[in-house]
Amino acid sequence: MEHPAALAGPPVPWWGLARVLVIRPDNLGDVVMAGPALRALRRAAPRARLDLLAAPAGAAAAALLPEVDGVLTASVSWQKTGGEEVPVTDDLDLVERIGWGGYEAAVILTSFSQAPWPAAYLCRLAGVPVRVGMSKEFGGAGLTHWVPSPPDETHQVDRALHLLERAGVPPVEGRLRVRVPAEAAGAARRLLDGRPGGDGHADGRGRRPCALILPGASCSARRYPADRFARVAGLLTAAGLRVLVAGTAREAPLVEATGAGVPGAVLLPGRFDVPVLAALIDAVDVVVCNNSGGAHLASALGTPVVVLFAGTEQVEQYRPRFGPASILTVPTACSPCRQLACPFALDCLDIPPEQVAAEALRLADERGGPWWQTPAGTRDAR
């Protein structure tokens, strides 16, 4: 039964709004999955300036979302862990920044385990008159339009669209879409074409088929072990694929550990920004990654992806749904744990590299045809 305050207040006049703030201070993949909600808001408020408040990692995705007009980048206090010292002045500064934006409405997007109330109260203090959010619990006057949460297993895309529909925004189809800037596509082509790929056959585009491995993730509990990624890279190289390994500057040790011993592997630690990463994902034949932003970029671009999905989250909330995908995980009693570091032995990612490589080869085969020599044992592991 809904709380009597649910959806309190008059209908939101979306069509006449001039400035709207969407709040999603999470990781890259979370912002990519907010794309359909941003598209729905753009259609409902076509004359509005649509700004995104995002964490540094998520803000990098804004260049791929044509609906976003501007970005407020902030490492917000309510996303910090309990052990981090966060000055009160950070919140006061953010209130001031939001206030200077002159927003008429704020839409707060959250996962099922997050509460909208901290962001809502900051927006209230900043003078934003319409504040829309969704949660299981009631939190008073922080939200002017409170929507009770859907079931926990609801996909993140559908969750955001559910919030907006309940707040009077007409629904749109939930397919992820990103726009790769032309200059990013050019940079990706130079990365692909400017380095010899070694021996092997070229496809119809004049290059060897490529696999992109992204060994990083936002926390160690989500990362498939680097030595196993290295084995996957070796199997794919032996099968005739050109292997690229990429990550942020902070992930350089993972990139090196994954590809340093693989003949012909191209290592790209911290070499480019998110738009170029998207362009690379768009250009390769298959992506192998953890449950991270790369999986959702691949989904948005229709590139086949193998996702090593740790037990930190429920698969149904984050499953890539809009392109060829293989989700590999091991069910465990402790999942979903939502831990940053696994206290056990990452049993949820105890997946043989041969199985990972077999899935990558299968997806690439379905996309481009059988152009490799299958390494021994790979097909049997499928």
Side-chain angles (χ1 to χ4, degrees):
M1 185 174 181
E2 293 183 4
H3 190 283
L7 292 174
V12 181
W14 297 107
W15 186 265
L17 296 182
R19 299 181 75 86
V20 177
L21 180 66
V22 176
I23 300 176
R24 192 61 163 119
D26 289 282
N27 293 315
L28 170 64
D30 300 296
V31 173
V32 172
M33 286 189 289
L38 291 163
R39 194 160 65 244
L41 275 173
R42 169 56 65 218
R43 293 183 183 180
R47 293 187 286 270
R49 176 183 173 87
L50 194 58
D51 286 351
L52 173 70
L53 193 160
L64 305 174
L65 301 172
E67 294 81 12
V68 175
D69 295 310
V71 183
L72 276 70
T73 304
S75 297
V76 299
S77 61
W78 60 93
Q79 291 290 74
K80 303 288 187 180
T81 60
E84 296 181 69
E85 184 66 30
V86 183
V88 174
T89 53
D90 285 5
D91 286 345
L92 299 177
D93 290 344
L94 185 54
V95 168
E96 185 174 9
R97 292 173 65 192
I98 294 172
W100 277 109
Y103 299 107
E104 298 162 292
V107 175
I108 304 164
L109 302 180
T110 54
S111 70
F112 86 101
S113 61
Q114 296 171 334
W117 305 108
Y121 276 99
L122 262 61
C123 288
R124 182 171 185 261
L125 293 174
V128 181
V130 174
R131 304 175 299 276
V132 180
M134 178 167 59
S135 75
K136 299 175 183 178
E137 74 284 351
F138 177 64
L143 294 174
T144 58
H145 296 73
W146 170 59
V147 175
S149 291
D152 287 353
E153 62 272 16
T154 303
H155 195 280
Q156 294 299 304
V157 171
D158 299 335
R159 179 181 174 85
L161 292 174
H162 170 84
L163 168 65
L164 291 176
E165 186 173 6
R166 292 295 302 273
V169 174
V172 299
E173 54 89 18
R175 185 174 184 85
L176 299 184
R177 296 175 184 168
V178 295
R179 178 186 60 191
V180 177
E183 59 271 22
R189 283 194 298 271
R190 289 189 291 275
L191 287 170
L192 286 168
D193 300 336
R195 293 170 177 266
D199 297 331
H201 299 290
D203 67 5
R205 289 168 286 184
R207 63 166 178 81
R208 286 175 65 192
C210 291
L212 175 63
I213 296 178
L214 304 172
S218 60
C219 61
S220 62
R222 292 184 179 182
R223 295 184 198 130
Y224 189 62
D227 60 335
R228 293 194 169 193
F229 263 130
R231 174 64 176 156
V232 173
L235 289 168
L236 296 180
T237 297
L241 276 74
R242 185 179 182 210
V243 172
L244 288 76
V245 186
T248 65
R250 188 164 53 182
E251 294 166 349
L254 288 173
V255 172
E256 293 290 336
T258 297
V262 179
V266 178
L267 308 188
L268 303 169
R271 290 283 306 279
F272 45 78
D273 57 14
V274 168
V276 176
L277 172 62
L280 272 177
I281 289 172
D282 192 32
V284 300
D285 297 276
V286 66
V287 174
V288 183
C289 62
N290 298 302
N291 174 30
S292 62
H296 303 295
L297 285 174
S299 179
L301 292 162
T303 300
V305 59
V306 179
V307 184
L308 288 307
F309 202 103
T312 57
E313 312 292 339
Q314 294 183 23
V315 172
E316 293 309 313
Q317 295 174 349
Y318 296 93
R319 178 186 296 277
R321 304 185 301 181
F322 309 108
S326 177
I327 311 298
L328 300 181
T329 189
V330 178
T332 58
C334 52
S335 177
C337 67
R338 289 179 286 281
Q339 296 290 320
L340 299 179
C342 178
F344 304 115
L346 273 180
D347 292 340
C348 55
L349 289 177
D350 187 16
I351 303 162
E354 291 78 11
Q355 182 181 2
V356 179
E359 286 300 290
L361 294 172
R362 179 181 65 80
L363 290 176
D365 186 13
E366 291 177 358
R367 189 182 205 199
W371 23 251
W372 61 75
Q373 297 290 323
T374 304
T378 302
R379 288 294 184 183
D380 293 340
R382 287 167 53 181

